[in-house]
Amino acid sequence: EPEVTQTPSHQVTQMGQEVILRCVPISNHLYFYWYRQILGQKVEFLVSFYNNEISEKSEIFDDQFSVERPDGSNFTLKIRSTKLEDSAMYFCASISPQGMNTGELFFGEGSRLTVL
Amino acid sequence: RKEVEQDPGPFNVPEGATVAFNCTYSNSASQSFFWYRQDCRKEPKLLMSVYSSGNEDGRFTAQLNRASQYISLLIRDSKLSDSATYLCVVNRPDSGYSTLTFGKGTMLLVSP
């Protein structure tokens, strides 16, 4: 079964360092997303991406964050200068053309970011 | 009022019990509603969409009351494998269909 894959599964970094989280969405999917979940908190929308550009972003997605689709498969989230409060699980998700009717997002297993 | 609010839980029930989860949402313009399931330290997965007329999928029944901005999920004959956190999810009506707002979730623990 096709799946969204994310790397790394866990990254520990020092405050102020840059981090890149990588995702390979399901191949025929068109919309891509990053969500995050701080431990014990709800899943929060960060950004959606369609046709090689950001289609929507939340107030969380400030200038420290950026997304890119450098090639036909990878979808990356970059955090330029990490803060302690960036520690969270970051989920990549994608949706199929058919899924636009069902609302079924396919999530990757997540990348846990720990900022020290 | 929070965008999506759920019973805080956890719900501890024995196998075979029936359990109901409640959810309210704040934006009356929301059009799409879902229940997702999240196992501990795992990613969310779609459990079922919620339709205006209510819908059932095996042991699971979802109901929507637009007037009250209320969504429910009923699980009958609980199994040990139903233990998880159940997330009430609503689309953001001011944006794309699939940009979703998640509730904090209600944890269910089913015991033997």
Side-chain angles (χ1 to χ4, degrees), chain A residues 78-93:
Chain A
K78 182 191 290 186
I79 309 174
R80 256 180 280 282
S81 177
T82 50
K83 303 186 285 289
L84 295 177
E85 54 265 37
D86 293 329
S87 295
M89 181 72 91
Y90 288 82
F91 290 109
C92 175

Side-chain angles (χ1 to χ4, degrees), chain B residues 77-93:
Chain B
D77 189 22
S78 300
K79 312 290 184 192
L80 295 176
S81 57
D82 293 334
S83 296
T85 297
Y86 290 83
L87 309 175
C88 179
V89 184
V90 175
N91 82 307
R92 287 172 49 159

Side-chain angles (χ1 to χ4, degrees), chain B residues 53-67:
Chain B
S53 54
N55 49 301
E56 190 173 302
D57 183 2
R59 298 181 292 109
F60 299 86
T61 301
Q63 297 279 349
L64 168 65
N65 184 323
R66 286 186 187 271

Side-chain angles (χ1 to χ4, degrees), chain A residues 11-12 17 21-22 25 28-29 33-35 37 43 48 53 57-58 60 62 66 80 89-90 94 98 101 104 110 113:
Chain A
Q11 180 154 357
V12 181
Q17 295 297 304
L21 306 178
R22 293 182 168 80
N28 68 331
H29 287 192
Y33 304 83
W34 284 99
Y35 283 80
Q37 187 174 31
V43 176
S48 61
E53 61 184 23
K57 60 184 180 180
S58 73
I60 301 169
D62 61 21
S66 62
R80 256 180 280 282
M89 181 72 91
Y90 288 82
S94 66
Q98 298 76 23
N101 293 323
E104 182 172 10
L113 176 65

Side-chain angles (χ1 to χ4, degrees), chain B residues 45-110:
Chain B
K45 291 184 179 178
L46 179 67
L47 178 66
M48 58 196 302
S49 302
V50 186
Y51 302 121
S52 296
S53 54
N55 49 301
E56 190 173 302
D57 183 2
R59 298 181 292 109
F60 299 86
T61 301
Q63 297 279 349
L64 168 65
N65 184 323
R66 286 186 187 271
S68 302
Q69 294 175 212
Y70 168 88
I71 307 160
S72 66
L73 176 68
L74 184 77
I75 305 176
R76 290 181 299 279
D77 189 22
S78 300
K79 312 290 184 192
L80 295 176
S81 57
D82 293 334
S83 296
T85 297
Y86 290 83
L87 309 175
C88 179
V89 184
V90 175
N91 82 307
R92 287 172 49 159
D94 57 342
S95 69
Y97 177 99
S98 55
T99 299
L100 303 177
T101 300
F102 285 76
K104 197 174 175 183
T106 303
M107 184 183 290
L108 172 65
L109 301 169
V110 182

Side-chain angles (χ1 to χ4, degrees), chain B residues 3-78:
Chain B
E3 287 184 273
V4 179
E5 197 153 6
Q6 298 187 239
D7 293 332
F11 284 29
N12 288 280
V13 303
E15 268 186 294
T18 295
V19 61
F21 302 129
N22 301 314
C23 171
T24 56
Y25 60 95
S26 61
N27 195 321
S28 59
S30 295
Q31 293 294 320
S32 307
F33 312 93
F34 313 93
W35 285 101
Y36 273 69
R37 169 191 168 132
Q38 187 174 26
D39 293 300
C40 187
R41 296 184 177 273
K42 296 285 191 180
E43 73 276 21
K45 291 184 179 178
L46 179 67
L47 178 66
M48 58 196 302
S49 302
V50 186
Y51 302 121
S52 296
S53 54
N55 49 301
E56 190 173 302
D57 183 2
R59 298 181 292 109
F60 299 86
T61 301
Q63 297 279 349
L64 168 65
N65 184 323
R66 286 186 187 271
S68 302
Q69 294 175 212
Y70 168 88
I71 307 160
S72 66
L73 176 68
L74 184 77
I75 305 176
R76 290 181 299 279
D77 189 22
S78 300

